């Protein structure tokens, strides 16, 4: 049995939400509340992160994907809608590579297909170097503000603060290493399900080239861009985000 934390709310068609780097199940607070009225909403906390901070972390996107698939198997979920944010977007691409026949609709949110993320505000190696030099807490106070247009003044920034409270340096570094070593571009042509790509035009983690690559290489995809949003559109404009996603998965 998987020992990671998994929130499982509501009834109906399964909708699985995978958080990103330094995230948690709680980062989907507004989505859980909204979608659990009509869907079975499943939000795992990845090993080492958030509510699963006591679980040993993983150092590859493939291992993280298999951890989520394990959760699906335990819950006997055969078909599902799937969304991944940032690093979680890499994980859902990997899940689709492994069990694509079980994914009904896919949402790649603020993510890309190249793990070391060309055009990011700094390279993965720079983040790893600063993490080890300055320590986890300083790094966690430095990076998440970049995910909001308003930085740490955003009214929902507290969710980021909650998420990183118990994350270890090892967990953070393992995730950076996992992303850096992952490549998903070659598999994009094999994604056959309807795919929605969401991006905020002020995102400094993933530039337009990243989401444009997804859109051009996934056959049945469409790109929706949120104006004046950064990396955390689901927290910056939750109502608009939720309505867009619901419109996509309910068709």
């Amino acid at each position: 049995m998987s020992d990671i934390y998994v929130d499982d709310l509501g009834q109906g068609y399964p909708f699985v939400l995978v958080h990103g780097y330094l995230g948690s199940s709680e980062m989907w607070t507004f989505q859980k509340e909204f979608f659990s009225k009509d869907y079975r909403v499943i939000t795992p906390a990845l090993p080492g992160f958030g509510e699963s901070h006591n679980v040993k972390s993983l150092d590859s996107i493939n291992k993280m994907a298999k951890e989520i698939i394990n959760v699906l198997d335990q819950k006997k979920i055969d078909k599902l809608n799937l969304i991944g944010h940032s690093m979680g977007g890499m994980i859902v691409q990997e899940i689709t590579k492994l069990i694509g026949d079980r994914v009904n609709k896919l949402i790649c949110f603020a993510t890309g297909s190249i793990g070391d993320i060309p055009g990011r505000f700094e390279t993965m190696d720079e983040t790893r170097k600063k993490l080890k030099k300055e320590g986890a807490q300083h790094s966690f106070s430095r990076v998440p503000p970049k995910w909001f247009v308003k930085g740490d003044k955003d009214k929902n920034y507290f969710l980021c603060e909650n998420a990183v409270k118990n994350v270890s340096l090892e967990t953070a570094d393992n995730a950076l290493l996992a992303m850096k070593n992952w490549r998903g571009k070659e598999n994009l042509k094999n994604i056959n399900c309807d795919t929605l790509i969401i991006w905020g035009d002020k995102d400094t983690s993933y530039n337009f080239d990243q989401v444009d690559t997804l859109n051009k290489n996934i056959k049945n995809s469409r790109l929706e861009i949120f104006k004046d949003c950064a990396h955390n559109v689901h927290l910056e404009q939750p109502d608009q985000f939720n309505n867009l996603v619901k419109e996509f998965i309910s068709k």
Side-chain angles (χ1 to χ4, degrees), residues 149-194:
V149 169
K150 296 179 181 176
D152 59 9
K153 302 296 187 290
D154 190 278
K155 65 181 180 180
N156 294 319
Y157 184 75
F158 73 95
L159 291 167
C160 292
E161 292 179 308
N162 290 349
V164 300
K165 278 178 181 173
N166 298 299
V167 175
S168 69
L169 190 151
E170 179 186 20
T171 291
D173 189 56
N174 273 343
L176 291 167
L177 188 63
M179 286 188 279
K180 180 188 173 187
N181 291 334
W182 179 78
R183 295 290 180 274
K185 188 174 178 181
E186 283 303 308
N187 187 58
L188 297 179
K189 64 181 183 293
N190 299 320
I191 296 175
N192 296 312
C193 56
D194 285 348

Side-chain angles (χ1 to χ4, degrees), residues 3 46 49 51 64 66 71 96 101 103 150 152 158 190 197 208 211 217 224:
D3 50 3
L46 294 166
F49 289 104
E51 303 90 335
M64 295 180 197
K66 288 177 177 175
V71 169
T96 306
D101 57 326
V103 179
K150 296 179 181 176
D152 59 9
F158 73 95
N190 299 320
I197 301 156
F208 178 75
V211 293
N217 287 278
E224 293 286 343

Side-chain angles (χ1 to χ4, degrees), residues 49-83:
F49 289 104
E51 303 90 335
S52 299
H53 64 88
N54 287 324
V55 182
K56 183 168 177 55
S57 61
L58 302 173
D59 62 1
S60 89
I61 297 298
N62 179 266
K63 291 175 185 175
M64 295 180 197
K66 288 177 177 175
E67 185 75 28
I68 303 299
I69 293 170
N70 187 32
V71 169
L72 300 177
D73 291 345
Q74 287 175 20
K75 292 182 176 291
K76 295 180 168 55
I77 293 170
D78 184 41
K79 294 283 284 187
L80 62 143
N81 293 322
L82 182 62
I83 183 171

Side-chain angles (χ1 to χ4, degrees), residues 90-101:
M90 300 178 186
I91 295 167
V92 300
Q93 289 175 62
E94 191 74 9
I95 291 171
T96 306
K97 180 180 177 180
L98 295 169
I99 57 162
D101 57 326

Side-chain angles (χ1 to χ4, degrees), residues 109 149 196-203 223-230 233-234 236-245:
F109 163 36
V149 169
L196 175 64
I197 301 156
I198 300 175
W199 182 69
D201 68 349
K202 300 290 193 292
D203 192 340
L223 171 62
E224 293 286 343
I225 299 173
F226 280 74
K227 299 291 185 186
D228 299 316
C229 278
V233 176
H234 63 316
E236 293 179 294
Q237 292 187 17
D239 292 342
Q240 297 92 319
F241 178 91
N242 292 344
N243 287 327
L244 172 66
V245 171

